[in-house]
Amino acid sequence: MRYKRVLLKLSGEAISGAQDAGFAPEALEHMADEILNLHASGVEVSVVIGGGNIFRGTLAEQWGIERAEADNIGTMGTVINSLMLRGVLTSQSGGDVEVRVMSAIPINTVAEPFIRLRAIHHLEKRYIVLFAAGIGNPYVTTDYTAAQRAIETRSEALLFAKNKVSGIYTADPRTNPQAKQYRQMHYNTIIKDNLTIVDQSSVLLSRDHKMPMHFFDFSESGTMSRICKGEDLGTLVTDVTEDLIG
């Protein structure tokens, strides 16, 4: 395997499937199957999931909720999603795989506190670890959280699961038929071209710590396992000397 330990970043919207919000059973089952298959291949897996299926920034703007308060609500959404995903993972595995939720805010009756060395120990014991509640502060996205937790837990790569988007493009492929996909690119290209597929603060943190970032279509089964085995599917963001398009 190219990678023995990875962190997977999932969006909250992915849980809602074709719905605008809430939980779609088929979406949760697909998530669980993909994570468990990757784990069964020998890879140590941790996960950060967003909360967009429960609360979105546009709703905060509609109600005039200030950013700090809105982020706190979204933080609680990530806890709910992590607990839901833990339940599905445990059920799908028949209880054979230990799954832990670690929270950056005190919520000890339902989740462990995030302690870096304990999280690493869990991964070494082959537990699947779900990191909830961001890093415990407002004004921080779950993209940034994913990069920080990946670095903190000595992960070897950061996998960004996208919905029906196979990677990073030169332009929005939904509106520009001439858009072409990057196969590999330097971190700085995302910053220089102001690409919005990911929070740029997470790109800067990954660049500074030389953390490879893979962007891929999560709807295609088996992609994560193939990436960890060495295939460069989707878009690889790293410190390459030149970008490769097409």
Side-chain angles (χ1 to χ4, degrees):
M1 303 295 284
R2 167 168 51 177
Y3 303 130
K4 294 182 179 180
R5 179 181 298 169
V6 299
L7 186 143
L8 169 64
K9 169 59 173 63
L10 293 166
S11 68
E13 289 87 344
I15 291 183
S16 60
Q19 307 169 162
D20 289 335
F23 301 92
E26 65 278 4
L28 279 163
E29 290 172 6
H30 174 69
M31 282 184 181
D33 286 342
E34 290 298 295
I35 293 169
L36 290 171
N37 287 337
L38 181 61
H39 178 267
S41 71
V43 179
E44 297 171 2
V45 186
S46 61
V47 182
V48 169
I49 188 166
N53 61 312
I54 296 174
F55 184 80
R56 294 176 180 167
T58 52
L59 185 60
E61 294 174 2
Q62 177 182 338
W63 285 92
I65 301 173
E66 62 178 311
R67 172 66 187 274
E69 187 71 19
D71 282 357
N72 288 336
I73 299 169
T75 292
M76 297 307 298
T78 70
V79 174
I80 294 170
N81 282 341
S82 296
L83 293 173
M84 177 66 81
L85 184 55
R86 177 175 67 182
V88 177
L89 285 166
T90 301
S91 175
Q92 293 285 90
S93 69
D96 293 335
V97 178
E98 186 75 22
V99 185
R100 298 293 180 92
V101 174
M102 305 190 82
S103 171
I105 60 175
I107 189 166
N108 296 339
T109 56
V110 296
E112 300 177 36
F114 172 74
I115 300 173
R116 188 181 71 88
L117 293 180
R118 181 182 292 176
I120 292 171
H121 185 58
H122 285 342
L123 291 168
E124 291 172 343
K125 292 175 67 176
R126 301 278 299 143
Y127 295 175
I128 294 174
V129 183
L130 312 179
F131 297 119
I135 62 171
N137 297 311
Y139 307 105
V140 178
T141 66
T142 49
D143 284 352
Y144 183 88
T145 298
Q148 178 166 326
R149 293 291 186 249
I151 294 164
E152 287 178 314
T153 56
R154 305 170 190 160
S155 297
E156 297 174 345
L158 181 52
L159 309 183
F160 272 89
K162 295 299 177 179
N163 298 317
K164 299 180 180 179
V165 178
S166 58
I168 301 177
Y169 285 76
T170 54
D172 189 341
R174 295 169 296 184
T175 58
N176 186 347
Q178 304 303 317
K180 295 183 179 180
Q181 182 179 326
Y182 286 96
R183 294 300 176 188
Q184 66 177 28
M185 63 193 303
H186 197 280
Y187 306 100
N188 291 341
T189 302
I190 296 178
I191 307 301
K192 176 174 63 70
D193 294 347
N194 196 31
L195 302 178
T196 58
I197 192 170
V198 62
D199 177 9
Q200 294 188 0
S201 64
S202 70
V203 179
L204 292 170
L205 185 62
S206 297
R207 182 196 67 184
D208 291 347
H209 292 269
K210 301 186 184 301
M211 174 67 66
M213 309 171 79
H214 290 266
F215 294 80
F216 63 97
D217 186 355
F218 190 63
S219 65
E220 296 184 8
S221 298
T223 301
M224 290 193 298
S225 295
R226 292 171 63 188
I227 289 173
C228 289
K229 289 177 181 177
E231 295 186 52
D232 286 333
L233 305 175
T235 301
L236 168 61
V237 180
T238 184
D239 55 356
V240 293
T241 55
E242 62 177 343
D243 298 338
L244 177 61
I245 300 176

